[in-house]
Amino acid sequence: MVKIAPSILSADFAKLGSEVLEIKRGGADYVHFDVMDGEFVPNISMGIPVLKSLRKATDMFLDVHLMIDRPIRYVEAFCSAGADLVTFHVEADTQENILAAIRKTRELGKKTGITLKPGTPVEAVEPFLSEVDLVLVMTVEPGFGGQSFMEDQLPKISRLRQLLDQVNPDCELEVDGGVDVRTAPLCVRAGANVLVAGSSVFGKTDRAEAIAALRGE
Ligand code: DX5
Ligand code: ZN
């Protein structure tokens, strides 16, 4: 069954604990935690202290998406703050340093992911495919919730599913950006098994219903 990872970027930060409890009760699989530094993307969101608090408040799987420059600098901090999985942007540093960040995360006992912006070709992440637990395809320009799904990224999802089937069949394939009841089935048909959803979950009053709808139930 497809996994749903609500992005708390669209939650009410003043009541984050109860927002997360609601998605847990609603059957969400992961909490998607977007970290932005105002450099790699033109927005600033949340970071290590918020992750620490959230870790204390929930036993849910914390899927941390780092949209920051040179993320290797913060691997230890995010891992010890309670991330279960840390995903790195291939564009955020040299290939060597991103690989080092991935390996360091694994050494610290956490899962890892690699991700790419819409304009980045699949070839850029190929060297990482056998090293990660998850590949994340961005279907909007990273930085903000509530943008429209870029359908031209669907072939990228299919291509990555093909490549993963060959080199790392257990690897998860996640999609992030503009996922709603219309676009979710397109992602799943292309081979995705984890759907990030910000506004299409937290923008709805009944989160359980929103999560079930994304699963196609
Ligand atoms: C955007 C973030 C997304 C965002 C998705 O840079 O990575 O996780 O919260 O929001 P929606 O689902 O509203 O497009
Ligand atoms: Zn994200």
Side-chain angles (χ1 to χ4, degrees), residues 7 9-10 32 34 36 65 67 138 140-147 176-179 196-200:
S7 164
L9 191 62
S10 296
H32 186 79
D34 288 304
M36 303 178 186
H65 175 192
M67 287 163 273
M138 291 303 303
V140 296
E141 284 302 334
F144 301 91
Q147 304 180 74
D176 184 5
V179 175
V196 175
S199 33
S200 63

Side-chain angles (χ1 to χ4, degrees), residues 5 30-33 61-65 84-85 87 134 174 196:
Y30 299 164
V31 176
H32 186 79
F33 189 98
F61 186 93
L62 301 179
D63 161 26
V64 176
H65 175 192
D84 291 299
L85 180 147
T87 296
L134 176 145
E174 184 178 53
V196 175

